[in-house]
mmCIF file of all heavy atoms in Angstrom:
data_model
loop_
_atom_site.group_PDB
_atom_site.id
_atom_site.type_symbol
_atom_site.label_atom_id
_atom_site.label_comp_id
_atom_site.label_asym_id
_atom_site.label_seq_id
_atom_site.Cartn_x
_atom_site.Cartn_y
_atom_site.Cartn_z
ATOM 1 N N MET A 53 -7.388 10.502 -3.527
ATOM 2 C CA MET A 53 -6.314 10.530 -2.543
ATOM 3 C C MET A 53 -5.059 9.911 -3.123
ATOM 4 O O MET A 53 -5.107 9.121 -4.066
ATOM 5 C CB MET A 53 -6.733 9.773 -1.285
ATOM 6 C CG MET A 53 -7.122 8.315 -1.522
ATOM 7 S SD MET A 53 -7.880 7.636 -0.031
ATOM 8 C CE MET A 53 -8.820 6.294 -0.717
ATOM 9 N N LYS A 54 -3.936 10.275 -2.509
ATOM 10 C CA LYS A 54 -2.656 9.736 -2.970
ATOM 11 C C LYS A 54 -2.190 8.659 -2.003
ATOM 12 O O LYS A 54 -2.372 8.778 -0.792
ATOM 13 C CB LYS A 54 -1.624 10.851 -3.048
ATOM 14 C CG LYS A 54 -1.956 11.820 -4.159
ATOM 15 C CD LYS A 54 -0.755 12.702 -4.456
ATOM 16 C CE LYS A 54 -1.017 13.453 -5.735
ATOM 17 N NZ LYS A 54 -0.775 14.880 -5.632
ATOM 18 N N VAL A 55 -1.567 7.642 -2.545
ATOM 19 C CA VAL A 55 -1.157 6.492 -1.740
ATOM 20 C C VAL A 55 0.347 6.273 -1.913
ATOM 21 O O VAL A 55 0.852 6.292 -3.037
ATOM 22 C CB VAL A 55 -1.904 5.220 -2.192
ATOM 23 C CG1 VAL A 55 -1.613 4.077 -1.240
ATOM 24 C CG2 VAL A 55 -3.396 5.460 -2.283
ATOM 25 N N TYR A 56 1.036 6.094 -0.799
ATOM 26 C CA TYR A 56 2.469 5.814 -0.834
ATOM 27 C C TYR A 56 2.779 4.599 0.027
ATOM 28 O O TYR A 56 2.137 4.387 1.041
ATOM 29 C CB TYR A 56 3.287 6.969 -0.234
ATOM 30 C CG TYR A 56 2.963 8.331 -0.770
ATOM 31 C CD1 TYR A 56 1.970 9.101 -0.177
ATOM 32 C CD2 TYR A 56 3.663 8.844 -1.859
ATOM 33 C CE1 TYR A 56 1.670 10.366 -0.657
ATOM 34 C CE2 TYR A 56 3.372 10.106 -2.341
ATOM 35 C CZ TYR A 56 2.381 10.875 -1.740
ATOM 36 O OH TYR A 56 2.083 12.119 -2.206
ATOM 37 N N VAL A 57 3.799 3.850 -0.373
ATOM 38 C CA VAL A 57 4.335 2.795 0.493
ATOM 39 C C VAL A 57 5.795 3.119 0.779
ATOM 40 O O VAL A 57 6.574 3.374 -0.144
ATOM 41 C CB VAL A 57 4.235 1.414 -0.171
ATOM 42 C CG1 VAL A 57 5.016 0.369 0.638
ATOM 43 C CG2 VAL A 57 2.785 0.964 -0.284
ATOM 44 N N ASP A 58 6.150 3.129 2.039
ATOM 45 C CA ASP A 58 7.552 3.277 2.422
ATOM 46 C C ASP A 58 8.203 1.897 2.352
ATOM 47 O O ASP A 58 7.993 1.051 3.217
ATOM 48 C CB ASP A 58 7.643 3.857 3.835
ATOM 49 C CG ASP A 58 9.096 4.012 4.290
ATOM 50 O OD1 ASP A 58 10.004 3.559 3.554
ATOM 51 O OD2 ASP A 58 9.311 4.574 5.372
ATOM 52 N N LYS A 59 8.997 1.691 1.314
ATOM 53 C CA LYS A 59 9.561 0.350 1.074
ATOM 54 C C LYS A 59 10.567 -0.050 2.139
ATOM 55 O O LYS A 59 10.816 -1.233 2.360
ATOM 56 C CB LYS A 59 10.205 0.296 -0.307
ATOM 57 C CG LYS A 59 9.165 0.346 -1.417
ATOM 58 C CD LYS A 59 9.707 -0.284 -2.703
ATOM 59 C CE LYS A 59 8.645 -0.311 -3.776
ATOM 60 N NZ LYS A 59 8.278 1.036 -4.237
ATOM 61 N N ASP A 60 11.173 0.924 2.796
ATOM 62 C CA ASP A 60 12.124 0.587 3.860
ATOM 63 C C ASP A 60 11.399 0.059 5.092
ATOM 64 O O ASP A 60 11.954 -0.722 5.856
ATOM 65 C CB ASP A 60 12.947 1.820 4.256
ATOM 66 C CG ASP A 60 13.850 2.253 3.122
ATOM 67 O OD1 ASP A 60 14.237 1.392 2.313
ATOM 68 O OD2 ASP A 60 14.158 3.458 3.035
ATOM 69 N N THR A 61 10.166 0.494 5.263
ATOM 70 C CA THR A 61 9.391 0.080 6.431
ATOM 71 C C THR A 61 8.602 -1.194 6.154
ATOM 72 O O THR A 61 8.426 -2.026 7.048
ATOM 73 C CB THR A 61 8.405 1.207 6.838
ATOM 74 O OG1 THR A 61 9.142 2.410 7.000
ATOM 75 C CG2 THR A 61 7.683 0.865 8.132
ATOM 76 N N CYS A 62 8.141 -1.367 4.926
ATOM 77 C CA CYS A 62 7.335 -2.536 4.552
ATOM 78 C C CYS A 62 8.092 -3.824 4.858
ATOM 79 O O CYS A 62 9.265 -3.959 4.527
ATOM 80 C CB CYS A 62 7.016 -2.460 3.053
ATOM 81 S SG CYS A 62 6.207 -3.933 2.398
ATOM 82 N N ILE A 63 7.390 -4.754 5.508
ATOM 83 C CA ILE A 63 7.993 -6.057 5.806
ATOM 84 C C ILE A 63 7.446 -7.139 4.887
ATOM 85 O O ILE A 63 7.702 -8.326 5.074
ATOM 86 C CB ILE A 63 7.770 -6.458 7.284
ATOM 87 C CG1 ILE A 63 6.279 -6.431 7.627
ATOM 88 C CG2 ILE A 63 8.560 -5.547 8.207
ATOM 89 C CD1 ILE A 63 5.928 -7.072 8.976
ATOM 90 N N GLY A 64 6.655 -6.734 3.907
ATOM 91 C CA GLY A 64 6.173 -7.677 2.898
ATOM 92 C C GLY A 64 5.111 -8.635 3.390
ATOM 93 O O GLY A 64 4.999 -9.756 2.891
ATOM 94 N N CYS A 65 4.305 -8.188 4.335
ATOM 95 C CA CYS A 65 3.308 -9.101 4.905
ATOM 96 C C CYS A 65 2.186 -9.422 3.916
ATOM 97 O O CYS A 65 1.526 -10.440 4.029
ATOM 98 C CB CYS A 65 2.728 -8.532 6.183
ATOM 99 S SG CYS A 65 1.579 -7.201 5.881
ATOM 100 N N GLY A 66 1.930 -8.525 2.973
ATOM 101 C CA GLY A 66 0.945 -8.800 1.925
ATOM 102 C C GLY A 66 -0.488 -8.439 2.259
ATOM 103 O O GLY A 66 -1.379 -8.645 1.443
ATOM 104 N N VAL A 67 -0.714 -7.890 3.438
ATOM 105 C CA VAL A 67 -2.083 -7.537 3.828
ATOM 106 C C VAL A 67 -2.689 -6.516 2.864
ATOM 107 O O VAL A 67 -3.861 -6.612 2.481
ATOM 108 C CB VAL A 67 -2.103 -6.997 5.281
ATOM 109 C CG1 VAL A 67 -3.417 -6.278 5.573
ATOM 110 C CG2 VAL A 67 -1.911 -8.141 6.259
ATOM 111 N N CYS A 68 -1.892 -5.549 2.454
ATOM 112 C CA CYS A 68 -2.434 -4.490 1.582
ATOM 113 C C CYS A 68 -2.907 -5.065 0.246
ATOM 114 O O CYS A 68 -3.983 -4.711 -0.240
ATOM 115 C CB CYS A 68 -1.408 -3.388 1.366
ATOM 116 S SG CYS A 68 0.197 -3.955 0.817
ATOM 117 N N GLU A 69 -2.122 -5.940 -0.324
ATOM 118 C CA GLU A 69 -2.536 -6.542 -1.596
ATOM 119 C C GLU A 69 -3.794 -7.378 -1.404
ATOM 120 O O GLU A 69 -4.700 -7.377 -2.244
ATOM 121 C CB GLU A 69 -1.417 -7.407 -2.176
ATOM 122 C CG GLU A 69 -1.745 -7.916 -3.572
ATOM 123 C CD GLU A 69 -0.705 -8.883 -4.112
ATOM 124 O OE1 GLU A 69 -0.240 -9.744 -3.350
ATOM 125 O OE2 GLU A 69 -0.360 -8.763 -5.295
ATOM 126 N N GLY A 70 -3.878 -8.085 -0.281
ATOM 127 C CA GLY A 70 -5.053 -8.899 -0.010
ATOM 128 C C GLY A 70 -6.316 -8.069 0.126
ATOM 129 O O GLY A 70 -7.376 -8.443 -0.361
ATOM 130 N N LEU A 71 -6.179 -6.896 0.786
ATOM 131 C CA LEU A 71 -7.347 -6.043 1.012
ATOM 132 C C LEU A 71 -7.677 -5.185 -0.195
ATOM 133 O O LEU A 71 -8.829 -4.828 -0.415
ATOM 134 C CB LEU A 71 -7.081 -5.106 2.206
ATOM 135 C CG LEU A 71 -7.139 -5.696 3.597
ATOM 136 C CD1 LEU A 71 -6.702 -4.645 4.607
ATOM 137 C CD2 LEU A 71 -8.537 -6.183 3.919
ATOM 138 N N CYS A 72 -6.673 -4.842 -0.974
ATOM 139 C CA CYS A 72 -6.869 -3.829 -2.009
ATOM 140 C C CYS A 72 -5.985 -4.106 -3.230
ATOM 141 O O CYS A 72 -5.089 -3.326 -3.559
ATOM 142 C CB CYS A 72 -6.523 -2.471 -1.389
ATOM 143 S SG CYS A 72 -7.236 -1.085 -2.283
ATOM 144 N N PRO A 73 -6.270 -5.209 -3.911
ATOM 145 C CA PRO A 73 -5.389 -5.604 -5.028
ATOM 146 C C PRO A 73 -5.414 -4.635 -6.206
ATOM 147 O O PRO A 73 -4.504 -4.656 -7.020
ATOM 148 C CB PRO A 73 -5.933 -6.986 -5.427
ATOM 149 C CG PRO A 73 -7.313 -7.052 -4.882
ATOM 150 C CD PRO A 73 -7.341 -6.172 -3.655
ATOM 151 N N GLU A 74 -6.447 -3.780 -6.262
ATOM 152 C CA GLU A 74 -6.453 -2.828 -7.381
ATOM 153 C C GLU A 74 -5.470 -1.683 -7.174
ATOM 154 O O GLU A 74 -5.173 -0.954 -8.105
ATOM 155 C CB GLU A 74 -7.864 -2.290 -7.656
ATOM 156 C CG GLU A 74 -8.507 -1.526 -6.516
ATOM 157 C CD GLU A 74 -9.481 -2.387 -5.695
ATOM 158 O OE1 GLU A 74 -9.072 -3.479 -5.220
ATOM 159 O OE2 GLU A 74 -10.634 -1.952 -5.524
ATOM 160 N N VAL A 75 -4.964 -1.530 -5.964
ATOM 161 C CA VAL A 75 -4.027 -0.437 -5.692
ATOM 162 C C VAL A 75 -2.624 -0.951 -5.360
ATOM 163 O O VAL A 75 -1.628 -0.338 -5.727
ATOM 164 C CB VAL A 75 -4.560 0.447 -4.543
ATOM 165 C CG1 VAL A 75 -3.533 1.513 -4.147
ATOM 166 C CG2 VAL A 75 -5.883 1.120 -4.952
ATOM 167 N N PHE A 76 -2.549 -2.090 -4.654
ATOM 168 C CA PHE A 76 -1.247 -2.592 -4.197
ATOM 169 C C PHE A 76 -0.899 -3.917 -4.867
ATOM 170 O O PHE A 76 -1.764 -4.758 -5.100
ATOM 171 C CB PHE A 76 -1.265 -2.818 -2.676
ATOM 172 C CG PHE A 76 -1.599 -1.605 -1.888
ATOM 173 C CD1 PHE A 76 -2.901 -1.358 -1.477
ATOM 174 C CD2 PHE A 76 -0.617 -0.685 -1.550
ATOM 175 C CE1 PHE A 76 -3.229 -0.224 -0.750
ATOM 176 C CE2 PHE A 76 -0.928 0.459 -0.823
ATOM 177 C CZ PHE A 76 -2.236 0.681 -0.419
ATOM 178 N N LYS A 77 0.398 -4.086 -5.122
ATOM 179 C CA LYS A 77 0.857 -5.326 -5.724
ATOM 180 C C LYS A 77 2.230 -5.627 -5.142
ATOM 181 O O LYS A 77 3.063 -4.728 -4.989
ATOM 182 C CB LYS A 77 0.969 -5.134 -7.238
ATOM 183 C CG LYS A 77 1.181 -6.399 -8.018
ATOM 184 C CD LYS A 77 1.075 -6.057 -9.503
ATOM 185 C CE LYS A 77 1.494 -7.125 -10.462
ATOM 186 N NZ LYS A 77 1.665 -8.462 -10.032
ATOM 187 N N MET A 78 2.467 -6.881 -4.794
ATOM 188 C CA MET A 78 3.773 -7.245 -4.272
ATOM 189 C C MET A 78 4.766 -7.299 -5.429
ATOM 190 O O MET A 78 4.475 -7.858 -6.485
ATOM 191 C CB MET A 78 3.713 -8.602 -3.565
ATOM 192 C CG MET A 78 2.669 -8.692 -2.450
ATOM 193 S SD MET A 78 2.827 -7.387 -1.215
ATOM 194 C CE MET A 78 4.333 -7.929 -0.390
ATOM 195 N N ASN A 79 5.958 -6.725 -5.233
ATOM 196 C CA ASN A 79 6.955 -6.750 -6.305
ATOM 197 C C ASN A 79 7.936 -7.911 -6.126
ATOM 198 O O ASN A 79 7.804 -8.722 -5.214
ATOM 199 C CB ASN A 79 7.673 -5.395 -6.407
ATOM 200 C CG ASN A 79 8.536 -5.108 -5.191
ATOM 201 O OD1 ASN A 79 8.862 -6.005 -4.423
ATOM 202 N ND2 ASN A 79 8.903 -3.852 -5.027
ATOM 203 N N ASP A 80 8.912 -7.982 -7.018
ATOM 204 C CA ASP A 80 9.858 -9.103 -7.015
ATOM 205 C C ASP A 80 10.680 -9.171 -5.732
ATOM 206 O O ASP A 80 11.202 -10.213 -5.368
ATOM 207 C CB ASP A 80 10.810 -8.988 -8.209
ATOM 208 C CG ASP A 80 10.066 -9.194 -9.514
ATOM 209 O OD1 ASP A 80 8.924 -9.700 -9.470
ATOM 210 O OD2 ASP A 80 10.610 -8.831 -10.577
ATOM 211 N N GLU A 81 10.814 -8.030 -5.054
ATOM 212 C CA GLU A 81 11.579 -8.006 -3.804
ATOM 213 C C GLU A 81 10.712 -8.362 -2.600
ATOM 214 O O GLU A 81 11.168 -8.320 -1.456
ATOM 215 C CB GLU A 81 12.182 -6.615 -3.594
ATOM 216 C CG GLU A 81 13.259 -6.289 -4.618
ATOM 217 C CD GLU A 81 13.509 -4.789 -4.737
ATOM 218 O OE1 GLU A 81 13.042 -4.018 -3.878
ATOM 219 O OE2 GLU A 81 14.158 -4.407 -5.716
ATOM 220 N N GLY A 82 9.455 -8.685 -2.865
ATOM 221 C CA GLY A 82 8.558 -9.041 -1.773
ATOM 222 C C GLY A 82 8.051 -7.848 -1.002
ATOM 223 O O GLY A 82 7.593 -7.975 0.137
ATOM 224 N N LYS A 83 8.139 -6.676 -1.608
ATOM 225 C CA LYS A 83 7.623 -5.455 -0.973
ATOM 226 C C LYS A 83 6.394 -4.985 -1.738
ATOM 227 O O LYS A 83 6.230 -5.274 -2.925
ATOM 228 C CB LYS A 83 8.679 -4.344 -1.008
ATOM 229 C CG LYS A 83 10.000 -4.722 -0.367
ATOM 230 C CD LYS A 83 9.962 -4.511 1.118
ATOM 231 C CE LYS A 83 11.233 -4.984 1.778
ATOM 232 N NZ LYS A 83 11.908 -3.969 2.554
ATOM 233 N N ALA A 84 5.568 -4.228 -1.049
ATOM 234 C CA ALA A 84 4.359 -3.716 -1.702
ATOM 235 C C ALA A 84 4.695 -2.559 -2.623
ATOM 236 O O ALA A 84 5.535 -1.720 -2.312
ATOM 237 C CB ALA A 84 3.366 -3.258 -0.639
ATOM 238 N N GLU A 85 4.018 -2.538 -3.735
ATOM 239 C CA GLU A 85 4.175 -1.440 -4.670
ATOM 240 C C GLU A 85 2.794 -0.850 -4.938
ATOM 241 O O GLU A 85 1.814 -1.597 -5.024
ATOM 242 C CB GLU A 85 4.767 -1.975 -5.960
ATOM 243 C CG GLU A 85 5.607 -0.957 -6.687
ATOM 244 C CD GLU A 85 6.678 -1.653 -7.508
ATOM 245 O OE1 GLU A 85 7.760 -1.950 -6.964
ATOM 246 O OE2 GLU A 85 6.395 -1.917 -8.681
ATOM 247 N N VAL A 86 2.742 0.461 -5.074
ATOM 248 C CA VAL A 86 1.466 1.110 -5.403
ATOM 249 C C VAL A 86 1.337 1.128 -6.919
ATOM 250 O O VAL A 86 2.156 1.731 -7.609
ATOM 251 C CB VAL A 86 1.425 2.541 -4.835
ATOM 252 C CG1 VAL A 86 0.132 3.238 -5.231
ATOM 253 C CG2 VAL A 86 1.552 2.504 -3.320
ATOM 254 N N ILE A 87 0.323 0.468 -7.434
ATOM 255 C CA ILE A 87 0.148 0.438 -8.890
ATOM 256 C C ILE A 87 -0.807 1.524 -9.365
ATOM 257 O O ILE A 87 -0.807 1.878 -10.524
ATOM 258 C CB ILE A 87 -0.313 -0.961 -9.387
ATOM 259 C CG1 ILE A 87 -1.488 -1.501 -8.586
ATOM 260 C CG2 ILE A 87 0.845 -1.946 -9.341
ATOM 261 C CD1 ILE A 87 -2.053 -2.815 -9.131
ATOM 262 N N VAL A 88 -1.612 2.052 -8.445
ATOM 263 C CA VAL A 88 -2.503 3.169 -8.787
ATOM 264 C C VAL A 88 -2.304 4.254 -7.728
ATOM 265 O O VAL A 88 -2.961 4.257 -6.697
ATOM 266 C CB VAL A 88 -3.988 2.716 -8.818
ATOM 267 C CG1 VAL A 88 -4.886 3.867 -9.273
ATOM 268 C CG2 VAL A 88 -4.177 1.521 -9.734
ATOM 269 N N PRO A 89 -1.355 5.168 -7.939
ATOM 270 C CA PRO A 89 -0.985 6.129 -6.888
ATOM 271 C C PRO A 89 -2.067 7.145 -6.547
ATOM 272 O O PRO A 89 -2.044 7.730 -5.471
ATOM 273 C CB PRO A 89 0.250 6.845 -7.441
ATOM 274 C CG PRO A 89 0.418 6.392 -8.836
ATOM 275 C CD PRO A 89 -0.519 5.262 -9.132
ATOM 276 N N GLU A 90 -2.993 7.373 -7.453
ATOM 277 C CA GLU A 90 -4.065 8.344 -7.190
ATOM 278 C C GLU A 90 -5.376 7.575 -7.326
ATOM 279 O O GLU A 90 -5.728 7.140 -8.431
ATOM 280 C CB GLU A 90 -3.974 9.464 -8.231
ATOM 281 C CG GLU A 90 -4.994 10.559 -8.039
ATOM 282 C CD GLU A 90 -4.457 11.713 -7.213
ATOM 283 O OE1 GLU A 90 -3.438 12.282 -7.607
ATOM 284 O OE2 GLU A 90 -5.075 12.021 -6.176
ATOM 285 N N THR A 91 -6.087 7.371 -6.220
ATOM 286 C CA THR A 91 -7.270 6.514 -6.267
ATOM 287 C C THR A 91 -8.355 7.012 -5.339
ATOM 288 O O THR A 91 -8.077 7.730 -4.377
ATOM 289 C CB THR A 91 -6.894 5.064 -5.877
ATOM 290 O OG1 THR A 91 -8.056 4.251 -5.943
ATOM 291 C CG2 THR A 91 -6.341 4.997 -4.471
ATOM 292 N N GLU A 92 -9.571 6.638 -5.621
ATOM 293 C CA GLU A 92 -10.676 6.888 -4.702
ATOM 294 C C GLU A 92 -11.086 5.596 -3.994
ATOM 295 O O GLU A 92 -12.072 5.575 -3.266
ATOM 296 C CB GLU A 92 -11.885 7.456 -5.467
ATOM 297 C CG GLU A 92 -11.661 8.872 -6.004
ATOM 298 C CD GLU A 92 -11.106 9.827 -4.947
ATOM 299 O OE1 GLU A 92 -11.630 9.840 -3.826
ATOM 300 O OE2 GLU A 92 -10.125 10.526 -5.250
ATOM 301 N N ALA A 93 -10.351 4.523 -4.230
ATOM 302 C CA ALA A 93 -10.715 3.234 -3.637
ATOM 303 C C ALA A 93 -10.573 3.290 -2.114
ATOM 304 O O ALA A 93 -9.484 3.544 -1.593
ATOM 305 C CB ALA A 93 -9.829 2.131 -4.212
ATOM 306 N N SER A 94 -11.673 3.069 -1.405
ATOM 307 C CA SER A 94 -11.629 3.181 0.050
ATOM 308 C C SER A 94 -10.802 2.067 0.671
ATOM 309 O O SER A 94 -10.333 2.185 1.806
ATOM 310 C CB SER A 94 -13.038 3.166 0.624
ATOM 311 O OG SER A 94 -13.687 1.957 0.307
ATOM 312 N N CYS A 95 -10.597 0.986 -0.072
ATOM 313 C CA CYS A 95 -9.787 -0.100 0.477
ATOM 314 C C CYS A 95 -8.343 0.331 0.685
ATOM 315 O O CYS A 95 -7.626 -0.272 1.476
ATOM 316 C CB CYS A 95 -9.874 -1.345 -0.404
ATOM 317 S SG CYS A 95 -9.236 -1.126 -2.069
ATOM 318 N N ALA A 96 -7.904 1.397 -0.005
ATOM 319 C CA ALA A 96 -6.537 1.887 0.209
ATOM 320 C C ALA A 96 -6.379 2.376 1.647
ATOM 321 O O ALA A 96 -5.349 2.136 2.293
ATOM 322 C CB ALA A 96 -6.212 3.007 -0.775
ATOM 323 N N GLN A 97 -7.411 3.053 2.161
ATOM 324 C CA GLN A 97 -7.381 3.496 3.557
ATOM 325 C C GLN A 97 -7.440 2.298 4.502
ATOM 326 O O GLN A 97 -6.736 2.264 5.509
ATOM 327 C CB GLN A 97 -8.559 4.445 3.825
ATOM 328 C CG GLN A 97 -8.599 5.006 5.231
ATOM 329 C CD GLN A 97 -7.405 5.916 5.519
ATOM 330 O OE1 GLN A 97 -7.213 6.905 4.842
ATOM 331 N NE2 GLN A 97 -6.597 5.561 6.522
ATOM 332 N N ASP A 98 -8.258 1.301 4.151
ATOM 333 C CA ASP A 98 -8.328 0.091 4.970
ATOM 334 C C ASP A 98 -6.955 -0.569 5.052
ATOM 335 O O ASP A 98 -6.526 -1.036 6.107
ATOM 336 C CB ASP A 98 -9.317 -0.919 4.360
ATOM 337 C CG ASP A 98 -10.751 -0.411 4.392
ATOM 338 O OD1 ASP A 98 -11.030 0.523 5.160
ATOM 339 O OD2 ASP A 98 -11.578 -0.971 3.645
ATOM 340 N N ALA A 99 -6.278 -0.621 3.914
ATOM 341 C CA ALA A 99 -4.954 -1.241 3.876
ATOM 342 C C ALA A 99 -3.979 -0.460 4.756
ATOM 343 O O ALA A 99 -3.203 -1.045 5.519
ATOM 344 C CB ALA A 99 -4.451 -1.313 2.440
ATOM 345 N N ALA A 100 -4.050 0.872 4.656
ATOM 346 C CA ALA A 100 -3.164 1.697 5.474
ATOM 347 C C ALA A 100 -3.422 1.440 6.961
ATOM 348 O O ALA A 100 -2.484 1.328 7.761
ATOM 349 C CB ALA A 100 -3.369 3.174 5.150
ATOM 350 N N ASP A 101 -4.702 1.322 7.321
ATOM 351 C CA ASP A 101 -5.058 1.076 8.724
ATOM 352 C C ASP A 101 -4.627 -0.317 9.174
ATOM 353 O O ASP A 101 -4.397 -0.556 10.359
ATOM 354 C CB ASP A 101 -6.571 1.220 8.922
ATOM 355 C CG ASP A 101 -7.049 2.647 8.722
ATOM 356 O OD1 ASP A 101 -6.214 3.576 8.774
ATOM 357 O OD2 ASP A 101 -8.258 2.832 8.494
ATOM 358 N N SER A 102 -4.539 -1.255 8.236
ATOM 359 C CA SER A 102 -4.269 -2.646 8.594
ATOM 360 C C SER A 102 -2.804 -3.039 8.469
ATOM 361 O O SER A 102 -2.409 -4.104 8.937
ATOM 362 C CB SER A 102 -5.091 -3.577 7.694
ATOM 363 O OG SER A 102 -6.470 -3.303 7.840
ATOM 364 N N CYS A 103 -2.005 -2.219 7.830
ATOM 365 C CA CYS A 103 -0.574 -2.552 7.696
ATOM 366 C C CYS A 103 0.050 -2.637 9.087
ATOM 367 O O CYS A 103 -0.050 -1.694 9.866
ATOM 368 C CB CYS A 103 0.136 -1.478 6.871
ATOM 369 S SG CYS A 103 1.916 -1.754 6.804
ATOM 370 N N PRO A 104 0.685 -3.756 9.406
ATOM 371 C CA PRO A 104 1.199 -3.943 10.775
ATOM 372 C C PRO A 104 2.353 -3.016 11.139
ATOM 373 O O PRO A 104 2.641 -2.826 12.317
ATOM 374 C CB PRO A 104 1.652 -5.408 10.792
ATOM 375 C CG PRO A 104 1.893 -5.752 9.359
ATOM 376 C CD PRO A 104 0.905 -4.936 8.552
ATOM 377 N N VAL A 105 3.015 -2.442 10.139
ATOM 378 C CA VAL A 105 4.157 -1.563 10.438
ATOM 379 C C VAL A 105 3.925 -0.128 9.960
ATOM 380 O O VAL A 105 4.855 0.673 9.876
ATOM 381 C CB VAL A 105 5.460 -2.131 9.834
ATOM 382 C CG1 VAL A 105 5.862 -3.416 10.539
ATOM 383 C CG2 VAL A 105 5.316 -2.373 8.327
ATOM 384 N N GLN A 106 2.681 0.197 9.650
ATOM 385 C CA GLN A 106 2.315 1.558 9.196
ATOM 386 C C GLN A 106 3.183 2.062 8.046
ATOM 387 O O GLN A 106 3.632 3.202 8.037
ATOM 388 C CB GLN A 106 2.395 2.565 10.361
ATOM 389 C CG GLN A 106 1.227 2.500 11.322
ATOM 390 C CD GLN A 106 1.489 1.553 12.480
ATOM 391 O OE1 GLN A 106 2.542 1.638 13.111
ATOM 392 N NE2 GLN A 106 0.592 0.653 12.751
ATOM 393 N N ALA A 107 3.405 1.184 7.079
ATOM 394 C CA ALA A 107 4.249 1.569 5.940
ATOM 395 C C ALA A 107 3.476 2.320 4.855
ATOM 396 O O ALA A 107 4.076 2.875 3.945
ATOM 397 C CB ALA A 107 4.898 0.325 5.332
ATOM 398 N N ILE A 108 2.140 2.328 4.969
ATOM 399 C CA ILE A 108 1.312 2.944 3.924
ATOM 400 C C ILE A 108 0.844 4.314 4.391
ATOM 401 O O ILE A 108 0.341 4.466 5.503
ATOM 402 C CB ILE A 108 0.078 2.059 3.616
ATOM 403 C CG1 ILE A 108 0.544 0.679 3.167
ATOM 404 C CG2 ILE A 108 -0.790 2.731 2.547
ATOM 405 C CD1 ILE A 108 -0.591 -0.341 3.083
ATOM 406 N N LYS A 109 1.037 5.273 3.512
ATOM 407 C CA LYS A 109 0.558 6.624 3.802
ATOM 408 C C LYS A 109 -0.511 6.987 2.779
ATOM 409 O O LYS A 109 -0.342 6.764 1.586
ATOM 410 C CB LYS A 109 1.716 7.607 3.719
ATOM 411 C CG LYS A 109 1.628 8.692 4.771
ATOM 412 C CD LYS A 109 2.886 9.498 4.872
ATOM 413 C CE LYS A 109 3.088 10.336 3.610
ATOM 414 N NZ LYS A 109 4.272 11.150 3.618
ATOM 415 N N VAL A 110 -1.618 7.526 3.254
ATOM 416 C CA VAL A 110 -2.715 7.943 2.382
ATOM 417 C C VAL A 110 -3.000 9.401 2.694
ATOM 418 O O VAL A 110 -3.144 9.780 3.858
ATOM 419 C CB VAL A 110 -3.978 7.093 2.654
ATOM 420 C CG1 VAL A 110 -5.173 7.638 1.908
ATOM 421 C CG2 VAL A 110 -3.749 5.638 2.277
ATOM 422 N N GLU A 111 -3.050 10.236 1.665
ATOM 423 C CA GLU A 111 -3.386 11.649 1.945
ATOM 424 C C GLU A 111 -4.240 12.240 0.863
ATOM 425 O O GLU A 111 -4.361 11.710 -0.209
ATOM 426 C CB GLU A 111 -2.128 12.480 2.184
ATOM 427 C CG GLU A 111 -1.118 12.400 1.079
ATOM 428 C CD GLU A 111 0.188 13.130 1.456
ATOM 429 O OE1 GLU A 111 0.619 13.055 2.609
ATOM 430 O OE2 GLU A 111 0.744 13.768 0.564
HETATM 431 FE FE1 F3S B 570 4.080 -4.043 3.363
HETATM 432 FE FE2 F3S B 570 2.303 -3.170 5.007
HETATM 433 FE FE3 F3S B 570 1.598 -3.982 2.658
HETATM 434 S S1 F3S B 570 4.050 -4.415 5.503
HETATM 435 S S2 F3S B 570 3.063 -5.568 2.155
HETATM 436 S S3 F3S B 570 2.866 -2.244 3.108
HETATM 437 S S4 F3S B 570 0.452 -4.231 4.502
#
């Protein structure tokens, strides 16, 4: 699956990195960055479900 973060929507809460550090990493601006855009890691979906502002898209 492909993973995207909408940086304009992300509020930098860090939940995605906490749940799925192999896919998400906080950048210098305090926003989440996808470090592995194509992954089978199920935690990416968990992160998308847990993001408080729905900034993560998984397809
Ligand atoms: Fe941002 Fe949502 Fe992750 S607010 S830091 S994309 S959990």
